[in-house]
Amino acid sequence: MKYSIVIVTYERLELLQKCISEIRSQSPNTPIYVGINGSDSKSAQYLQNIPQVTCKSFNKRTPGEVRNALIQLVETPWICFLDDDVIVSESYFQKAESILEMKSLEIFGGPDTSYPNEESIETAISLALTSPLATAHSKKRHTVSNDFNPNAKEQDFILCNLWIKTSIFHKENNSFDERFFRNEENVLLNKLLSSGKTAHYYGDLFVHHKRKSNLISMSLTVMKSANFRAKSFLLFPESFQPIYLVPSLSFLFLIYSAFYPNLIALLAISTYISCLLYFSWKICKDSSRMNIFFQVVLVQIIINLSYGIGFISPPKSTK
């Protein structure tokens, strides 16, 4: 085999079963390494009955620690990193195998999109994530398209759909930073791409990703992502990009404007609302989902506020 699959899971058996089932349907002989991150006997029992699956249980730790341990077991030239709550798209591995024929390639990946048959709020979250107002450049992580970028950036990739050559870990001693509960792939990719690694982004190589079922859990997830992104900038200042400050500055400006209303604040807020309505309308129109227009508007507002708050919160420590 040219590749193995690495998955980290914990108490999401139903989603894991769907994930493994589709992998086995498309690529029945591929080695799969699953790390159970905590006490989860149901998942362990299920995985024991799946051929070509190596299952290893860990005491609760960061996902990066689990992945690093599983990587050491891999014997194939490539590693495909998937999440336990994804379903790969039709012909996913057929497309990936054609990409693997390129000898000089070292990293590649594509976006995630809606999980099949999502509820309206989950669909609204998926659509909102494709808005530049909500996710800026990172919207490519969530937008299925025919785009191809032979010089992809760290912001193009998402860990639930990422392929990396095994030699980058085994021979070059790279690893996921074990101080991060989230965004550990961003730290690793920034290091690898800064060193000149070749990375391709394929907009049509996508996975279906289960979204949060309510706005509170989504908000907490966004805050955590922002917090660990800020932590990555503190630990690795050379990776900092000013655009990540925009949600926090906007949040602080909004608070200031509430106490000191002025014409500039009114114009700024009016501009934001106009952009919000325009992008929400365009997204919903293009996807023929105008029935959830107001949900898409609301989700974007929550993403902006949550990211702004999370980014300037005290950095979380995992060690």
Side-chain angles (χ1 to χ4, degrees):
M1 290 296 297
K2 293 182 178 180
Y3 58 92
S4 298
I5 297 169
V6 167
I7 299 171
V8 178
T9 190
Y10 177 64
E11 291 191 340
R12 295 202 287 194
L13 178 57
E14 184 178 346
L15 295 174
L16 177 66
Q17 288 173 327
K18 292 178 180 179
C19 175
I20 298 291
S21 176
E22 187 59 31
I23 292 172
R24 278 288 163 258
S25 174
Q26 292 192 28
S27 188
N29 298 316
T30 301
I32 304 175
Y33 297 87
V34 181
I36 300 178
N37 194 14
S39 179
D40 183 358
S41 58
K42 292 182 179 180
S43 294
Q45 184 176 2
Y46 160 70
L47 292 168
Q48 287 177 356
N49 300 317
I50 309 298
Q52 290 291 94
V53 169
T54 300
C55 174
K56 189 172 181 180
S57 295
F58 299 83
N59 294 327
K60 198 69 174 179
R61 58 190 65 188
T62 65
E65 289 181 86
V66 177
R67 290 189 181 91
N68 288 338
L70 296 177
I71 287 168
Q72 299 308 310
L73 306 176
V74 174
E75 298 179 347
T76 54
W78 281 87
I79 301 174
C80 169
F81 295 98
L82 299 175
D83 278 1
D84 60 351
D85 58 349
V86 306
I87 298 176
V88 295
S89 58
E90 185 178 358
S91 303
Y92 176 85
F93 291 106
Q94 182 179 345
K95 294 175 184 175
E97 287 167 12
S98 66
I99 296 171
L100 294 177
E101 298 301 320
M102 292 191 287
K103 304 301 182 183
S104 61
L105 187 59
E106 296 164 298
I107 301 165
F108 70 92
D112 69 353
T113 190
S114 304
Y115 198 84
N117 303 314
E118 284 185 334
E119 298 294 332
S120 61
I121 191 62
E122 297 175 50
T123 301
I125 292 172
S126 289
L127 291 179
L129 289 171
T130 68
S131 168
L133 192 65
T135 50
H137 178 94
S138 296
K139 71 184 182 69
K140 293 183 68 175
R141 298 179 180 180
H142 312 291
T143 306
V144 177
S145 67
N146 292 319
D147 285 355
F148 166 66
N149 186 351
N151 298 296
K153 307 299 182 184
E154 166 255 305
Q155 297 93 332
D156 297 333
F157 297 109
I158 189 167
L159 187 49
C160 69
N161 183 15
L162 181 63
W163 294 67
I164 301 179
K165 265 192 171 180
T166 308
S167 59
I168 287 177
F169 300 104
H170 289 185
K171 294 183 180 180
E172 301 178 27
N173 296 319
N174 291 292
S175 62
F176 290 101
D177 196 308
E178 299 179 352
R179 294 170 290 184
F180 290 77
F181 270 113
R182 296 187 68 87
N183 300 89
E184 66 270 22
E185 78 276 19
N186 304 119
V187 174
L188 174 62
L189 288 169
N190 184 72
K191 175 185 176 183
L192 296 178
L193 298 180
S194 296
S195 69
K197 298 297 182 187
T198 304
H200 290 182
Y201 168 86
Y202 296 87
D204 61 350
L205 183 74
F206 65 95
V207 298
H208 300 283
H209 200 175
K210 185 67 175 175
R211 304 302 187 194
K212 298 298 181 183
S213 59
N214 63 79
L215 296 179
I216 294 176
S217 59
M218 183 208 72
S219 176
L220 294 174
T221 298
V222 172
M223 289 177 66
K224 186 180 291 185
S225 293
N227 193 266
F228 278 104
R229 174 65 84 166
K231 180 176 180 177
S232 72
F233 292 150
L234 291 174
L235 293 174
F236 308 100
E238 68 280 2
S239 67
F240 173 72
Q241 297 180 45
I243 192 172
Y244 288 97
L245 284 173
V246 172
S248 297
L249 293 176
S250 299
F251 171 70
L252 295 174
F253 180 73
L254 184 63
I255 295 177
Y256 172 83
S257 300
F259 290 97
Y260 303 98
N262 56 76
L263 181 59
I264 294 177
L266 180 61
L267 290 173
I269 293 173
S270 298
T271 301
Y272 172 76
I273 293 174
S274 298
C275 292
L276 177 66
L277 294 175
Y278 169 75
F279 285 120
S280 299
W281 170 81
K282 188 175 188 306
I283 290 167
C284 291
K285 179 179 178 294
D286 291 346
S287 60
S288 300
R289 292 304 302 266
M290 289 302 297
N291 61 308
I292 58 172
F293 171 80
F294 291 108
Q295 287 177 295
V296 173
V297 170
L298 178 60
V299 170
Q300 288 181 82
I301 294 172
I302 294 175
I303 289 175
N304 292 151
L305 291 175
S306 300
Y307 202 96
I309 294 170
F311 193 86
I312 58 176
S313 299
K316 296 183 183 297
S317 174
T318 63
K319 297 294 182 182

